[in-house]
Amino acid sequence: MAAKLRALSDYELALSNSQGRYGDFTQLGLKASYDVNSALMLSAQVDNLTDEYYEYVWWDGSQTLHSPAQGRAISVAIKFKY
């Protein structure tokens, strides 16, 4: 089992510090895997466990542009070796 913590403080968009502050998020992810036998492995992963909303924001010189990040995501995998 593994845990991943990502965090970012808020940041200014322009050198003039006149376009507002954005960012400021904390994100938790968990991953677990289990070797059933030498040929089979099962794994599961949860990204953004708390489903915190955050976005990448940038200034293009005339407006702020916003790109929302992924919300909670759950993945499962089965790996076979032969």
Side-chain angles (χ1 to χ4, degrees):
M1 179 138 187
K4 176 175 65 171
L5 181 65
R6 293 180 54 224
L8 177 71
S9 63
D10 54 352
Y11 55 91
E12 297 287 347
L13 297 182
L15 293 175
S16 64
N17 294 341
S18 61
Q19 301 308 317
R21 296 179 70 88
Y22 296 89
D24 193 24
F25 73 86
T26 303
Q27 184 186 59
L28 176 64
L30 299 174
K31 182 177 182 179
S33 61
Y34 176 70
D35 291 326
V36 177
N37 55 41
S38 63
L40 178 63
M41 182 181 78
L42 306 174
S43 64
Q45 181 172 326
V46 180
D47 291 320
N48 197 1
L49 181 66
T50 60
D51 200 24
E52 181 174 352
Y53 178 83
Y54 67 101
E55 59 188 0
Y56 178 71
V57 181
W58 69 100
W59 174 252
D60 75 349
S62 63
Q63 64 181 340
T64 58
L65 301 167
H66 301 256
S67 178
Q70 177 176 299
R72 181 183 303 124
I74 300 171
S75 304
V76 294
I78 301 172
K79 181 178 178 180
F80 293 102
K81 295 180 186 177
Y82 55 95

